Amino acid sequence: MARIIFITGASRGFGKLWAEAFLKAGDKVAASARNITALDDLVEKYGSSILPISLDVNKKNEVTQAVAKVKEHFGAIDILINNAGFGLFGTVEETSEEQARAQMETNFFGLLWVTQAVLPVMRAQKSGHIIQVSSFLGITTLPLLGLYNASKFAVEGLSETIASEVAHLGIKFTLIEPNGFATEWAGNSAVQTTAEIADYNPVREAFASSGENPETWGKPEATVDVILKVANSANPPQRLLLGKIAYHTVKEVYTKRLAEIDEWKEVSIAAHGH
């Protein structure tokens, strides 16, 4: 039986790739984007199985209307994939207030508005699966991506909390945590800070050189079978790292964190007071 998939940020990258994967699998897809002409090829190929929706996730009223449209058109929302977002590059000191707020508005608040709008539909159904596209930078950090890191850390905390609140209602949650992939995330979908402080040039140079190895970047096409496996699972993971860089980096980070926690164990326990 065809499922109803709602994907945000579907004009390019993971969003478009995954939208077509679900359509190929026989599901019906509501695909949102700021510019829905980017979805014309999928409409031509899959006809009424896809519903393009013009949506700016930063605008809560638009989000509410979009979710209502999906529900009215398809009758349900079985899977939500919150994929809309962008990367902001620059040191924290160089980041303007406007840039910082814009990063959080899309990556965190946009995701929040969509999740809040879809939850009533899934509660009424007593079923659903919400897949939040986070990042391995929601668990660890890289320099020059401070506000992006912060937005994804926020997504992680928010999603883990909601998962604990709705589990008894039959609603599943999965956080997808990719490393860098060869999409347009670091290209057309990225924003560079404008004011560069010379003291940070060594950090910039080290960051640039780390991305020169093509092995650093995952192949987007390799994620298609993965996202379908997650969506088809009766017991999906709450967190799933995508890519070998993410796996090895996060494993090392957690190993070091646990070692430090144990090293300071007595101090931590003493701080409780009794």
Side-chain angles (χ1 to χ4, degrees), residues 9-243:
S11 63
R12 63 180 81 173
F14 285 146
K16 189 167 187 181
L17 195 65
W18 295 347
E20 183 158 24
F22 282 108
L23 289 164
K24 281 182 179 178
D27 293 314
K28 297 185 184 299
V29 175
S32 80
R34 292 192 184 201
N35 179 12
I36 60 172
T37 59
L39 298 168
D40 285 350
D41 56 333
L42 295 184
V43 173
E44 183 177 349
K45 191 171 181 180
Y46 296 99
S48 61
S49 291
I50 180 170
L51 174 67
I53 298 176
S54 178
L55 175 62
D56 179 351
V57 297
N58 294 355
K59 298 176 180 177
K60 191 175 181 182
N61 62 324
E62 282 191 22
V63 170
T64 302
Q65 292 167 10
V67 170
K69 185 175 181 180
V70 177
K71 177 67 167 63
E72 180 182 358
H73 187 84
F74 285 129
I77 299 175
D78 297 306
I79 298 174
L80 164 66
I81 301 180
N82 257 319
N83 174 65
F86 69 94
L88 175 66
F89 290 82
T91 69
V92 172
E93 186 180 350
E94 294 165 338
T95 304
S96 70
E97 178 183 352
E98 181 182 7
Q99 290 167 330
R101 290 185 182 279
Q103 179 76 117
M104 296 303 292
E105 280 291 339
T106 298
N107 289 11
F108 175 71
F109 284 106
L111 175 141
L112 171 59
W113 306 146
V114 177
T115 304
Q116 284 184 327
V118 167
L119 279 172
V121 178
M122 292 186 172
R123 281 194 295 105
Q125 297 169 174
K126 293 293 188 288
S127 67
H129 188 182
I130 295 178
I131 299 174
Q132 312 283 48
V133 181
S134 179
S135 169
F136 84 124
L137 298 179
I139 298 174
T140 185
T141 64
L142 284 175
L144 300 185
L145 283 160
L147 270 296
Y148 180 81
N149 298 335
S151 72
K152 295 303 185 180
F153 266 70
V155 164
E156 295 271 331
L158 176 78
S159 300
E160 185 174 305
T161 302
I162 303 173
S164 69
E165 295 169 345
V166 302
H168 68 291
L169 297 170
I171 302 171
K172 303 167 187 173
F173 257 80
T174 299
L175 282 153
I176 297 291
E177 299 160 334
N179 54 226
F181 276 77
T183 64
E184 295 183 35
W185 178 85
N188 291 340
S189 294
V191 173
Q192 304 287 338
T193 55
T194 53
E196 292 189 356
I197 299 170
D199 282 347
Y200 293 115
N201 286 343
V203 180
R204 258 185 286 278
E205 291 163 8
F207 183 84
S209 63
S210 69
E212 290 174 357
N213 182 356
E215 286 290 312
T216 301
W217 303 93
K219 296 179 179 179
E221 298 77 15
T223 68
V224 167
D225 287 343
V226 173
I227 199 69
L228 291 175
K229 185 174 183 177
V230 170
N232 294 337
S233 175
N235 186 29
Q238 188 171 90
R239 285 182 167 82
L240 181 66
L241 297 165
L242 293 192

